[in-house]
């Protein structure tokens, strides 16, 4: 290392979930930039240049993961608000009532071309019961480990989430890691035959 730092994104923008692409050629992140209405996934080459939007959606993307072969991106985003809410908002309604209108977070897939989801291609949603909050690919890319809560309520998010194995090709859930109480993101071992995760010892464990 040269000991010198190098700025990549210098404009006034809030970044999160900064990661490498599988081939190591780009750095990716979540941000709301340019004409975005919501947070999207962006990528910038490590040898410089401008950031390019990998994928965006009609609501903010909260998390994302690239398949190991770099051919698809999985991401999480909430359902759209219903038309009645949007109409009321345009008429001046701006009250915020806690959990008045719970919206589940869904799992989506986008097929990549040259590292981007083409503008004329819409990401596809996966029909799953509950609200998804974390995701990570297995080393083979054939399985996702995802956390699902029965509802989007904050209590269920903290206390009732379970890690499920999701088959990327069949779009079906497989095994479930039975835990009680709070959990964090699960990770596959490099060989892909084991999963490590941080979880509560029991239902009363605070963290």
């Amino acid at each position: 290392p040269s000991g010198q730092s190098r700025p990549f994104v210098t404009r006034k923008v809030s970044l999160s979930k900064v990661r490498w692409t599988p081939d190591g050629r780009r750095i990716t992140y979540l941000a709301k930039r340019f004409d975005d209405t919501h947070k999207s996934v962006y990528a910038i080459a490590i040898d410089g240049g401008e950031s390019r939007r990998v994928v965006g959606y009609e609501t903010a993307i909260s998390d994302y993961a690239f398949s190991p072969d770099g051919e698809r991106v999985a991401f999480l985003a909430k359902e759209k608000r219903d038309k009645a809410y949007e109409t009321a908002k345009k008429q001046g309604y701006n009250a915020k009532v806690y959990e008045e209108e719970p919206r589940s977070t869904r799992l989506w897939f986008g097929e990549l071309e040259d590292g981007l989801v083409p503008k004329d291609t819409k990401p596809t949603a996966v029909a799953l019961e509950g609200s998804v909050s974390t995701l990570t690919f297995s080393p083979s890319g054939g399985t996702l480990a995802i956390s699902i809560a029965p509802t989007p309520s904050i209590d269920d998010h903290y206390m009732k989430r379970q890690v499920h194995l999701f088959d990327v090709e069949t779009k079906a859930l497989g095994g479930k890691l039975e835990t009680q109480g709070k959990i964090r993101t699960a990770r596959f071992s490099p060989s892909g035959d084991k999963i490590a995760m941080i979880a509560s010892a029991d239902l009363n464990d605070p963290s």
Side-chain angles (χ1 to χ4, degrees):
S2 65
Q4 297 180 336
S5 61
R6 176 182 176 182
F8 279 85
V9 181
T10 56
R11 296 179 180 178
K12 291 183 178 180
V13 59
S14 177
L15 310 182
S16 62
K17 309 286 185 181
V18 180
R19 296 165 183 162
W20 294 96
T21 53
D23 60 10
R25 295 169 51 201
R26 299 179 178 92
I27 297 171
T28 64
Y29 59 90
L30 283 179
K32 188 168 71 171
R33 306 196 65 187
F34 310 117
D35 60 346
D36 289 338
T37 305
H38 307 285
K39 278 190 176 183
S40 302
V41 180
Y42 280 87
I44 185 169
I46 60 173
D47 55 358
E50 182 55 84
S51 296
R52 301 173 68 190
R53 187 166 69 176
V54 175
V55 63
Y57 182 60
E58 296 169 327
T59 62
I61 294 175
S62 58
D63 203 356
Y64 66 97
F66 289 91
S67 61
D69 60 11
E71 294 183 358
R72 58 167 59 99
V73 59
F75 66 89
L76 305 180
K78 286 185 179 295
E79 299 171 327
K80 292 173 59 178
R81 294 187 184 275
D82 60 33
K83 293 183 178 180
Y85 179 91
E86 296 298 336
T87 299
K89 185 177 179 180
K90 290 178 181 179
Q91 295 173 346
Y93 175 79
N94 60 3
K96 294 183 179 180
V97 182
Y98 187 66
E99 293 190 346
E100 176 191 36
E101 187 194 2
R103 291 179 295 147
S104 293
T105 298
R106 299 301 183 196
L107 173 64
W108 301 78
F109 283 95
E111 301 300 320
L112 300 175
E113 292 182 12
D114 190 28
L116 307 175
V117 175
K119 288 185 177 180
D120 58 351
T121 302
K122 290 186 177 181
T124 56
V126 179
L128 295 174
E129 292 291 332
S131 187
V132 187
S133 55
T134 64
L135 74 170
T136 184
F137 273 101
S138 65
S140 69
T143 304
L144 272 174
I146 58 176
S147 299
I148 305 178
T151 76
S153 76
I154 192 65
D155 288 341
D156 281 356
H157 174 81
Y158 276 117
M159 303 304 298
K160 295 183 180 180
R161 283 191 299 164
Q162 300 280 285
V163 174
H164 296 255
L165 300 182
F166 176 82
D167 189 292
V168 175
E169 295 303 323
T170 65
K171 302 294 187 294
L173 290 177
K176 179 172 65 173
L177 306 184
E178 298 283 356
T179 58
Q180 288 188 331
K182 300 178 178 66
I183 61 171
R184 298 291 298 273
T185 303
R187 290 285 186 265
F188 286 93
S189 63
S191 61
D193 62 346
K194 295 181 176 67
I195 291 180
M197 61 183 293
I198 297 175
S200 298
D202 57 51
L203 194 62
N204 299 314
D205 194 356
S207 64

